[in-house]
Amino acid sequence: MNSEQVKSNNSALYTLITVFFFWGFIGASNGVFIPFCKAKFGLDQFQSQLIDFAFYGAYYIGAILLFIFSSIAKKDILNGWGFKKGIIYGLSISTFGAVLMIVAVTQGSYLFILGALFIVALGFSLQQTSAQPFAASLGEPHSASSRLNLAGGVNSFGTTIGPIVVSYALFGVISGVSIEEFAQKPDSLDSMRILYVFVGGLFLLAAALFHFSKKLPSGKSDSSFETANKALKTLITITIILVAIFAYIFSRYEDPEFITRFIENKEKDYLGLSLTISTLLVVVIGLLFANTTAQKNPEGWGAMKYPQLVLGMLALFAYVGVEVTIGSNLGELLKTPDFGSIIGPGLAPYMSMYWGSLMIGRWAGAISVFNPSSQLKKILLIVIPYVAFGVVLAANAISGQDITPLYAYAFVILFQVAGFFLGKDQPSRTLMIFGFMGMTAMLIGLFTTGTIAIFAFMSGGLFLSIMWPCIFSLAIAGLGKYTSQGSAFLVMMILGGGIIPPLQGKLADIVGIHTSYFIPVLCFAFIAFYGWKVIAILQKQGIGHDIEVGGGH
């Protein structure tokens, strides 16, 4: 590849990573929007988590619809369009969703807001499915992870400032403002309308930038589309069952007797908890059944015959789920007396630091983009996390927030730095170590209160930061011609962000928000298990597992 091509591809890459910023900005800002909506519309914790259900469920629906239509056409529809057009179409859908959000907040309808968020995220699903292979195609294969690391770092910057911007849009910088009091003001949603006018305009501008940029290639891969009818039928069955269960759960909220008993009188809704747990079991049992059956007779199952992929799908499901659920339930946790009764704009620094923790790790994961020497890389693995930490603090300080409570978090970052050195750039080893550290942090948070517990829960972001590329690379290792199909299945597992947060929300309504953080413990434990188990699976297949660790999605 000559220097002119490299220069052109770098220009294309910088244009491309703008969409990574949008995913992070909108997704992380939900952490502030959720407690506001809970107060505004009189919701329980489960209902408030439906924001995540709508947002991340759309990723799954978008990915599976694309796979269904491609299976019917017996060709990769997205590849036929080209990744560039896929991103443009995705941005157009998100623009339409932003317009709907403006209408939704004007009308003050929570159901309408959920629908609008679903459309925004449906566009994100198409963007994400297009952007990741597009970024990988803009250069040599061996440097693909570095380009994705850089994009992931930009994504994380979006997650860092998202809570700050939304908090400022909603509350300004009035310290100590009560969310409950502010939410009941007739004009409390007006600022969200203004924000989404701005966001919708950015979507449209980005789509125009992609459309008119002559330096951006169309972005098509040479891989052929592999059919997998049995896998497709299994995924459709799982989807139908999930829709039926959630439809029943939602219908219960239409029953006045249910509202009186379980919402107003705060009775414990054990049936609702059981139903929500069943949605998790449907995914787990469905995928394990598929893999077990496929190993006996692989015909028609495609990539699902590979255990590293199916277990990787579950690991990615757990990863996205725990990443979202920690942040989305954090606002409810922090407003309790044991955690300082932090409310209103006071939530923003903590939300921002949680999502910023992912940026801290992903920036460290992107060091290899610059091809440093071994010695310099060791130095940068220590320095870069603290540079990123400084960026998070600066972003909050500029917005007028009090950042002094966050200074001591610098000590916690040392554990992530140690994890990088212990992981030795091996994804399976790093996954085990970071999974174990994340599980330990959640347990510390469960059995303590105050600053120690807050820092423990926020540190989940540090240990989650590099899990996406680790899981992804291990899951598709050795898939050969099924690599593209396996990647599509993995993207579907963003569904974890739509199922695990409502599950924790329903559990919180029964046992309390603090105790409900047992859910992240289980998620981290499974991710650590996958890091351990996949080594034996790949060795049995004669496949190495020393793929370079990166960061971000």
Side-chain angles (χ1 to χ4, degrees), residues 448-464:
T448 58
T449 56
T451 301
I452 292 176
I454 292 172
F455 281 10
F457 288 135
M458 287 196 310
S459 73
L462 294 173
F463 306 121
L464 286 164

Side-chain angles (χ1 to χ4, degrees), residues 103-137:
V103 178
V105 296
T106 301
Q107 293 189 357
S109 167
Y110 183 57
L111 189 61
F112 202 166
I113 287 173
L114 292 179
L117 266 179
F118 180 87
I119 300 300
V120 169
L122 201 60
F124 283 5
S125 175
L126 187 52
Q127 293 167 43
Q128 178 134 331
T129 308
S130 305
Q132 302 240 25
F134 197 9
S137 71

Side-chain angles (χ1 to χ4, degrees), residues 332-356:
E332 184 68 15
L333 181 76
L334 293 178
K335 78 176 189 180
T336 62
D338 285 342
F339 288 83
S341 300
I342 302 167
I343 57 175
L347 295 172
Y350 296 95
M351 297 289 189
S352 177
M353 184 54 71
Y354 167 68
W355 291 105

Side-chain angles (χ1 to χ4, degrees), residues 156-157 160-161 164 348-349 351-360 363 385-398 403 406:
S156 294
F157 182 65
T160 301
I161 69 169
I164 299 172
M351 297 289 189
S352 177
M353 184 54 71
Y354 167 68
W355 291 105
S357 294
L358 283 104
M359 184 180 79
I360 290 169
W363 280 23
Y386 285 99
V387 171
F389 177 57
V391 170
V392 180
L393 292 178
N396 279 280
I398 291 170
I403 60 173
L406 299 177

Side-chain angles (χ1 to χ4, degrees), residues 176-474:
V177 65
S178 167
I179 290 181
E180 285 74 15
E181 291 179 9
F182 178 82
Q184 297 314 311
K185 293 182 178 180
D187 62 348
S188 59
L189 277 168
D190 286 358
S191 52
M192 288 302 292
R193 182 169 63 241
I194 297 170
L195 177 65
Y196 268 88
V197 168
F198 177 70
V199 168
L202 285 178
F203 288 153
L204 200 58
L205 179 63
L209 189 64
F210 274 84
H211 179 71
F212 292 109
S213 176
K214 294 180 180 180
K215 291 183 178 180
L216 274 173
S218 60
K220 294 186 179 183
S221 68
D222 297 326
S223 59
S224 59
F225 182 77
E226 298 292 337
T227 58
N229 293 331
K230 291 179 181 178
L232 178 61
K233 288 176 182 176
T234 301
L235 289 169
I236 291 174
T237 301
I238 289 173
T239 305
I240 291 171
I241 295 172
L242 290 176
V243 169
I245 294 172
F246 274 112
Y248 177 67
I249 292 174
F250 300 156
S251 70
R252 298 173 77 228
Y253 282 85
E254 301 297 322
D255 183 355
E257 183 182 348
F258 175 82
I259 299 295
T260 302
R261 288 182 58 195
F262 297 108
I263 307 301
E264 295 176 1
N265 293 335
K266 298 296 182 182
E267 287 188 38
K268 299 184 185 300
D269 181 20
Y270 290 108
L271 175 59
L273 177 61
S274 299
L275 289 168
T276 313
I277 291 173
S278 71
T279 62
L280 176 65
L281 294 178
V282 166
V283 175
V284 174
I285 294 173
L287 291 178
L288 292 178
F289 164 79
N291 181 242
T292 303
T293 307
Q295 289 190 60
K296 294 176 182 177
N297 180 14
E299 185 180 353
W301 286 103
M304 280 197 182
K305 65 185 177 184
Y306 295 96
Q308 67 265 36
L309 174 70
V310 173
L311 289 177
M313 290 170 69
L314 292 174
L316 208 66
F317 179 92
Y319 154 72
V320 178
V322 71
E323 176 183 290
V324 176
T325 201
I326 291 174
S328 294
N329 285 286
L330 197 57
E332 184 68 15
L333 181 76
L334 293 178
K335 78 176 189 180
T336 62
D338 285 342
F339 288 83
S341 300
I342 302 167
I343 57 175
L347 295 172
Y350 296 95
M351 297 289 189
S352 177
M353 184 54 71
Y354 167 68
W355 291 105
S357 294
L358 283 104
M359 184 180 79
I360 290 169
R362 289 169 182 171
W363 280 23
I367 288 172
S368 57
V369 170
F370 306 100
N371 297 313
S373 65
S374 177
Q375 189 61 35
L376 180 58
K377 184 173 182 178
K378 290 177 181 178
I379 296 172
L380 291 175
L381 279 175
I382 298 171
V383 174
I384 292 299
Y386 285 99
V387 171
F389 177 57
V391 170
V392 180
L393 292 178
N396 279 280
I398 291 170
S399 70
Q401 300 291 348
D402 179 15
I403 60 173
T404 52
L406 299 177
Y407 289 153
Y409 193 68
F411 173 74
V412 183
I413 296 171
L414 287 173
F415 290 95
Q416 186 200 53
V417 173
F420 273 118
F421 280 98
L422 291 171
K424 298 180 179 178
D425 282 342
Q426 296 177 11
S428 54
R429 182 185 175 96
T430 303
L431 212 51
M432 276 192 294
I433 292 169
F434 277 52
F436 178 76
M437 285 183 166
M439 181 180 68
T440 303
M442 295 303 104
L443 288 171
I444 291 172
L446 273 175
F447 292 108
T448 58
T449 56
T451 301
I452 292 176
I454 292 172
F455 281 10
F457 288 135
M458 287 196 310
S459 73
L462 294 173
F463 306 121
L464 286 164
S465 59
I466 47 75
M467 286 185 175
W468 174 278
C470 286
I471 296 170
F472 212 99
S473 60
L474 290 165

